[in-house]
Amino acid sequence: MNDKTIVALSSGNLPSGVAVIRVSGPSCAVIASLMGNGLPKPRSIALKNIVNPQTQEELDRGLLLWFPGPTSFTGEDCLEFHLHGGRAVVEAVLDALCTFDDVRLAEAGEFSRRAFENGKLDLTEIEGIADLVASETEAQRKQALAQSRGDLRNTYDDWRKRLVHMRAMIEAELDFSEEEDIPEEISKEGFAQVVALKNEIKTYLEDDRAGEIIRDGFKIALMGKPNAGKSSLLNALAKRDVAIVTNEPGTTRDILDVHLDLNGYAVIVSDTAGLRESDSIVEVEGVRRAQLRGSEADLVIWLTDIDDIEEAPELNFEDILYIKSKDDNHLFDNKMSISTLTDKGLDGLLNLIKERIVGKLNNRETRLISRVRYREALSDCVTHLDFVLENQVSDIELKAETLRYASDCIGRIIGKIDVEDLLDVIFSEFCVGK
Ligand SMILES: Nc1nc2c(ncn2[C@@H]2O[C@H](COP(=O)(O)OP(=O)(O)OP(=O)(O)O)[C@@H](O)[C@H]2O)c(=O)[nH]1
Ligand SMILES: [Mg+2]
């Protein structure tokens, strides 16, 4: 348990209608009695005159909530002050709180870190909360909420426990190798379970990165020759004048990203430099970046000027839509061409994009892999399981040890084993007060 009590403003920017100051640690009861004339009933709220503990000056009239540990967010005693959201009000109350000897301002993510350290939440739930706070679209919200409530924790912890059990079964053979019959049966059963779990995790990994796409956004790269109308299309999709458009070929050099919400899915559209040979160092670098972005994209939209008679090139990207641009006279089918001058085909193009996203992400279960960190750990786990199952590895002791590596991979995802190196990275994503 921490001997310091931490405080922070947990609500958003000031001024605001209401501001919430969170307090966690052993001094909560003292704080409530000296600043709010006593504790409210556990998990209930009371209207209080909030005073400065030194001078008794009234700072605000607000609500005080009391969550005694261990049944609180952090597992420690917690208080919440619901104040009027004025800058001076919040500052006065924070200053007053910090006059207590063992009270200090919280660091970013420190409340969540205490919740993790006190076993209230595992790392996937903590990361789910971070995602929920950062969520901007419906799909992100749903995924983050499910994760923050333990969807991934349950699955991964179940796998980890099964691996620990399998290792125990296989080690039984080591312990009883002098005796006969039963041990071999036990280890045989253990290996059958390894096969089943390996297949289960492998199937789970074959998900088209749906969870990561929901969390990080579906990536679209606008590509084509110079002057094909890529930047004009970006501006039309963004409904803003984001990118410079000129009739000079080679206008765009840097990648320009626009974030959209399409049917509740986060989408990142990237404008790129037109592809061509060039003597300009800047343009060559722009083209290199364009090609790289295309190769990382979930979908490339390849634009060709309607007057360009050359065939569109064969491209090797994950998914491509070939679209004619500048069809101002509406010569082509709606889904084949656009004009940013007349807005022709733009809705059709958006529908095509939606179809692509839904095709990739819809009808997925909820417990999706939302971070590369999880995917890498699970792939490592499968590699260890493969090693255990390889015939040539007949050394039982080595197999048992490798099973431990496999369960440790999953242990790292949920934070069951030593993950000190990971914690600073994970909690740095949080804001102060979370
Ligand atoms: N008539 C017509 N002109 C268009 C349309 N879309 C773009 N243009 C024009 O085509 C020229 C090039 O447009 P951009 O959007 O800058 O083309 P780009 O593909 O981004 O070009 P680079 O950045 O140079 O690769 C500009 O003069 C635009 O006004 C369209 O739908 N109809
Ligand atoms: Mg451009």
Side-chain angles (χ1 to χ4, degrees), residues 14-15 21 59-60 83-96:
L14 301 175
I21 289 179
L59 304 175
D60 191 14
L83 307 165
H84 293 99
R87 275 184 235 288
V89 178
V90 169
E91 201 172 307
V93 174
L94 284 176
D95 282 351

Side-chain angles (χ1 to χ4, degrees), residues 120-132:
K120 302 295 289 187
L121 299 167
D122 84 318
L123 285 182
T124 65
E125 288 165 329
I126 295 267
E127 288 173 314
I129 292 176
D131 289 351
L132 195 56

Side-chain angles (χ1 to χ4, degrees), residues 67-327:
F67 303 97
T71 48
S72 66
F73 176 70
T74 60
E76 304 173 333
D77 283 353
C78 286
L79 285 176
E80 271 180 26
F81 289 88
H82 292 221
L83 307 165
H84 293 99
R87 275 184 235 288
V89 178
V90 169
E91 201 172 307
V93 174
L94 284 176
D95 282 351
L97 284 166
C98 288
T99 59
F100 289 86
D101 274 349
D102 62 351
V103 173
R104 63 166 172 78
L105 293 174
E107 289 164 21
E110 201 171 357
F111 291 93
S112 302
R113 189 164 184 152
R114 288 189 176 189
F116 169 69
E117 283 167 355
N118 292 329
K120 302 295 289 187
L121 299 167
D122 84 318
L123 285 182
T124 65
E125 288 165 329
I126 295 267
E127 288 173 314
I129 292 176
D131 289 351
L132 195 56
V133 172
S135 67
E136 290 183 345
T137 70
E138 268 298 280
Q140 287 174 333
R141 182 186 64 74
K142 284 188 182 140
Q143 174 162 294
L145 186 63
Q147 185 173 328
S148 71
R149 287 192 175 162
D151 269 25
L152 295 187
R153 173 196 197 150
N154 294 339
T155 305
Y156 299 162
D157 205 28
D158 172 56
W159 287 344
R160 193 188 63 85
K161 284 183 184 144
R162 278 160 66 187
L163 282 166
V164 170
H165 180 66
M166 289 167 207
R167 177 157 63 97
M169 289 174 100
I170 287 165
E171 280 180 344
E173 188 168 340
L174 281 177
D175 294 344
F176 302 102
S177 51
E178 264 81 77
E179 299 169 29
E180 276 158 30
D181 297 341
I182 301 151
E184 200 168 324
E185 280 307 306
I186 292 178
S187 77
K188 222 188 241 169
E189 168 62 20
F191 283 117
Q193 289 185 13
V194 173
V195 174
L197 182 59
K198 189 197 88 170
N199 290 336
E200 200 174 318
I201 299 177
K202 270 185 101 165
T203 311
Y204 177 75
L205 280 166
E206 288 161 8
D207 63 346
D208 277 342
R209 293 177 30 256
E212 286 154 76
I213 291 173
I214 288 173
R215 177 174 180 270
D216 303 330
F218 183 83
K219 298 191 189 72
I220 299 177
L222 303 180
M223 298 185 74
K225 289 191 202 168
N227 259 2
K230 303 177 291 297
S231 301
S232 305
L233 176 57
L234 183 82
N235 290 348
L237 292 174
K239 300 195 171 79
R240 288 186 286 135
D241 191 13
V242 201
I244 301 173
V245 168
T246 73
N247 59 6
E248 197 178 296
T251 305
T252 305
R253 304 294 171 87
D254 286 315
I255 306 268
L256 204 60
D257 290 338
V258 162
H259 292 244
L260 303 177
D261 179 341
L262 277 190
N263 276 25
Y265 292 112
V267 174
I268 304 166
V269 187
S270 306
D271 184 22
T272 67
L275 302 192
R276 67 169 172 185
E277 302 276 319
S278 169
D279 293 331
S280 149
I281 303 172
V282 186
E283 190 166 9
V284 168
E285 176 59 17
V287 169
R288 188 189 70 80
R289 290 180 189 208
Q291 267 156 339
L292 184 66
R293 186 56 61 99
S295 66
E296 292 166 348
D298 300 301
L299 174 67
V300 166
I301 295 180
W302 185 268
L303 284 184
T304 310
D305 192 315
I306 197 163
D307 292 330
D308 185 348
I309 45 158
E310 259 181 58
E311 285 275 311
E314 281 283 324
L315 298 161
N316 191 21
F317 295 119
E318 176 159 340
D319 192 9
I320 310 168
L321 277 173
Y322 291 94
I323 303 287
K324 298 270 185 206
S325 61
K326 310 188 191 179
D327 186 10

